[in-house]
Amino acid sequence: MSKFKIFSIALLASAVSQAQDLDQATKAIDAEQYEKAKSMLKSIVQSKNTGKASFLLGNIYLTQSVEDSAKIFFDKGLTADGGKINNIGLGQLDLNKGDAVSAKAKFDQVLKDLKKKDIEEYVYVAKAYMNADKPDYKSAIAVLTKAKAANPTNAYVNLALGDAFYGDKNQNEAYSAYRSAYQADSSLIRAKMQLGVLLKGAKAYTEAVKAFDEVVGLNANYGPVYRELAETYYLWANNVPKTYTENIQKALGYYEKYMSLTDYSLSSRMRHADFLILARDYKALEKEANEMQKLDKVNPRIMRYLGYSAYENGNPDAAITALNEFINKGSNKVISGDYFYLGLASVKKSIGADMKTVDRTVLASGIANVKKAVDAEPSLANALNEIGKKYFTEKVYDVSAAIFEIAISNPNSKNFLEDNIYYGLAAYTVNRNKDLKDRDVASLQKADLAMDAVIVASPTYLESYLYKARINGSLEKDDVMAATYQKYLDLVLAKGPEEVTKNKAKVTESYNSIAAFYANTDKAKAKEFFNKTLALDPTNTYALDSLKLLK
């Protein structure tokens, strides 16, 4: 009997120790200290081979997008004590493959025999729906609603419900669920942090920072709150441009703090690299990519970071090499940004050192990749404005026109009007000094349409009429040219004498061009307009010489 008691106590001690180890690993996961959690869980799996440890370990690998390793541990956990829970992980893998039926069958296997008060499995099933490549928040809400019916005040159920409602864009219900979670368990600091996340999503950046600072006050070593602060300052910088310089530096500083409190593993460095791309800190990105190479020389994703940073740091050759290696080797998950940067690097490489000669073959290849990227992800067109203007300023007008032609393919771009103006100007400038037979009529016609788009959107924008008139002059559509110059004049004259004086050169250009149009058909009309020029500019040579010819 005494031996049985000793044996029972030993089993109990082992169970308590295992539960404590799992609890510590779960806390490390919540703190996003994934490498620490992986080390703890691997130790449990090797010594005790528990199903729960394998499941948590597989989930970490899913978070880090390493599905092969995740499946290995889920499969291993199935045969261990308490291994049924691993069906949830395998179900998420099914969801990632688009097989919702198979996933639900696996989830049902786990949920069917649960006791009324068991809620952990419901929470993990809901998280699987939310964390899948294509999240299904409504299914997560349905699962959690069942759990809440049995456990209405459970903090973890309410926390997960908050995440599900937030993902389903139901701010009010999300707030209520997060608040309930924190009220039920004030040690559940993530629930309080998520209240700040709601404010961040509502663009209430000042209030969000205040909420996150309260979390820092409760636990200054809770890493995820610094990631949220970094993301808040990043969004603040981009949505309030006048704060950009100050807030982007705060964002970068808080992300470094987040890294210091989590880990500097390869997966963490990759998350950091993704943030550096958002923050446009390409010097730091290049440094981080080189550090990652020291950890793993063969990981293909590092080539992406090296490619992006090489382009932004002025090394198009290195960017082309790195991105071609990433795109063309293996089965890497290629995104639109990869083609975008490869294309931009090729465009930059196509321009000679003299900023005049252009390698047409390399340019065409680059433009094709940029277009491919924007076709797949139209929001990338937003970034082309700055690039196109740079080439325009450098007087590489044909390259600028090619960039802006892609930019205006997205009518929802935030720079759509300005992009149309620059495209029209660049295309016109390329053709302005060419003989008629050498002009690119197609590009001039597109430039004319670009000006029409500006006029429709902003009918009082003076320069659009001026540019449209010039473009039609190059197309030798003299009637359209004259009519458009007249529209320009009507708008300027309606603004009064000060506006006319301010735009004297453009006004006399308009008068002279209209006069030239009438010179062969209506000499009286032509003289009228030349005299209007001379009223503004008595020494205008073109008007004076033309009037002599009309006598």
Side-chain angles (χ1 to χ4, degrees), residues 213-480:
D213 283 344
E214 289 178 5
V215 175
V216 172
L218 293 170
N219 184 351
N221 293 317
Y222 188 62
V225 72
Y226 296 103
R227 174 179 48 72
E228 292 295 347
L229 277 164
E231 291 175 7
T232 301
Y233 278 110
Y234 162 75
L235 292 169
W236 195 347
N238 281 278
N239 283 287
V240 187
K242 67 180 181 180
T243 72
Y244 185 85
T245 301
E246 177 185 357
N247 282 338
I248 210 68
Q249 288 306 310
K250 288 182 179 179
L252 292 166
Y254 277 119
Y255 208 98
E256 287 293 340
K257 178 74 171 176
Y258 165 70
M259 292 285 289
S260 73
L261 289 169
T262 51
D263 57 58
Y264 284 92
S265 65
L266 183 64
S267 59
S268 294
R269 287 184 181 277
M270 284 183 173
R271 290 200 306 276
H272 186 209
D274 289 334
F275 187 78
L276 291 172
I277 291 169
L278 292 176
R280 292 181 280 179
D281 189 344
Y282 296 102
K283 294 291 184 187
L285 177 64
E286 189 168 25
K287 180 181 177 183
E288 189 69 281
N290 285 319
E291 289 298 320
M292 284 190 275
Q293 267 201 319
K294 294 176 184 175
L295 293 173
D296 188 342
K297 292 182 182 295
V298 298
N299 191 295
R301 196 163 140 197
I302 296 169
M303 292 296 106
R304 170 184 290 158
Y305 302 129
L306 288 171
Y308 288 17
S309 59
Y311 166 76
E312 294 288 355
N313 294 330
N315 191 346
D317 289 315
I320 292 167
T321 299
L323 288 168
N324 272 326
E325 181 175 339
F326 178 77
I327 291 170
N328 298 322
K329 286 188 177 180
S331 56
N332 300 326
K333 191 173 183 179
V334 180
I335 60 175
S336 301
D338 303 329
Y339 290 108
F340 190 69
Y341 270 99
L342 177 60
L344 292 178
S346 297
V347 169
K348 184 178 283 190
K349 181 178 172 61
S350 74
I351 303 168
D354 61 359
M355 298 303 291
K356 293 179 181 178
T357 57
V358 176
D359 186 321
R360 298 292 159 189
T361 303
V362 177
L363 176 63
S365 171
I367 290 297
N369 275 319
V370 174
K371 187 177 186 306
K372 181 177 183 177
V374 173
D375 286 347
E377 191 175 336
S379 63
L380 288 171
N382 293 327
L384 294 176
N385 178 266
E386 186 179 331
I387 296 163
K389 285 197 291 188
K390 178 177 178 290
Y391 287 128
F392 189 91
T393 302
E394 292 171 345
K395 299 183 179 180
V396 196
Y397 297 114
D398 50 350
V399 175
S400 178
I403 291 291
F404 280 117
E405 185 174 1
I406 299 172
I408 63 177
S409 67
N410 177 15
N412 297 317
S413 168
K414 65 181 181 181
N415 309 302
F416 184 65
L417 290 186
E418 189 177 47
D419 290 345
N420 274 280
I421 292 166
Y422 270 100
Y423 172 70
L425 274 174
Y428 165 72
T429 306
V430 168
N431 289 280
R432 180 176 54 190
N433 296 319
K434 291 182 178 179
D435 293 336
L436 180 60
K437 63 181 177 62
D438 296 324
R439 290 175 195 166
D440 186 342
V441 173
S443 71
L444 285 168
Q445 289 172 336
K446 289 177 186 176
D448 187 38
L449 291 173
M451 288 305 133
D452 286 342
V454 177
I455 289 168
V456 168
S458 184
T460 59
Y461 179 62
L462 293 174
E463 268 64 24
S464 59
Y465 297 96
L466 189 73
Y467 302 149
K468 179 177 173 65
R470 291 172 179 171
I471 291 164
N472 278 279
S474 290
L475 285 167
E476 296 203 335
K477 291 184 176 181
D478 293 341
D479 55 337
V480 179

Side-chain angles (χ1 to χ4, degrees), residues 11 50 62 68 111 121 145 223 257 269 289 307 315 337 429 472 508 551:
L11 280 175
T50 71
L62 272 183
D68 290 347
L111 300 178
E121 289 83 352
T145 300
K257 178 74 171 176
R269 287 184 181 277
N315 191 346
T429 306
N472 278 279
T508 56
K551 286 182 179 178

Side-chain angles (χ1 to χ4, degrees), residues 57-111:
L57 190 51
N59 262 348
I60 294 175
Y61 280 112
L62 272 183
T63 300
Q64 296 177 334
S65 300
V66 189
E67 290 195 355
D68 290 347
S69 295
K71 188 174 187 311
I72 288 170
F73 283 103
F74 291 143
D75 286 338
K76 181 180 178 66
L78 276 178
T79 60
D81 183 36
K84 187 187 292 187
I85 195 171
N86 284 276
N87 280 303
I88 299 174
L90 293 169
Q92 185 179 330
L93 289 172
D94 286 338
L95 290 175
N96 289 349
K97 291 185 288 188
D99 190 348
V101 174
S102 180
K104 187 176 185 306
K106 289 183 174 67
F107 297 154
D108 288 344
Q109 267 187 279
V110 178
L111 300 178

Side-chain angles (χ1 to χ4, degrees), residues 88-156:
I88 299 174
L90 293 169
Q92 185 179 330
L93 289 172
D94 286 338
L95 290 175
N96 289 349
K97 291 185 288 188
D99 190 348
V101 174
S102 180
K104 187 176 185 306
K106 289 183 174 67
F107 297 154
D108 288 344
Q109 267 187 279
V110 178
L111 300 178
K112 65 179 180 179
D113 296 324
L114 293 180
K115 296 176 182 177
K116 187 176 180 181
K117 290 293 183 179
D118 290 341
I119 57 94
E120 184 179 52
E121 289 83 352
Y122 283 99
V123 171
Y124 281 120
V125 167
K127 286 183 177 181
Y129 277 120
M130 289 188 277
N131 295 333
D133 288 347
K134 292 182 179 179
D136 182 353
Y137 296 108
K138 292 193 184 301
S139 290
I141 292 168
V143 168
L144 291 166
T145 300
K146 292 179 183 178
K148 188 171 181 179
N151 299 270
T153 62
N154 185 276
Y156 291 95

Side-chain angles (χ1 to χ4, degrees), residues 122-124 126-127 130 137-181 188 191 194 198:
Y122 283 99
V123 171
Y124 281 120
K127 286 183 177 181
M130 289 188 277
Y137 296 108
K138 292 193 184 301
S139 290
I141 292 168
V143 168
L144 291 166
T145 300
K146 292 179 183 178
K148 188 171 181 179
N151 299 270
T153 62
N154 185 276
Y156 291 95
V157 170
N158 279 292
L159 174 61
L161 260 175
D163 293 340
F165 282 125
Y166 183 56
D168 201 40
K169 296 180 170 50
N170 189 332
Q171 294 275 106
N172 292 336
E173 292 291 349
Y175 177 83
S176 177
Y178 287 139
R179 184 182 58 187
S180 296
L188 195 58
Q194 290 302 115
L198 292 177

Side-chain angles (χ1 to χ4, degrees), residues 14-25:
S14 175
V16 170
S17 173
Q18 177 183 308
Q20 288 174 339
D21 289 344
L22 285 173
D23 184 57
Q24 290 303 310

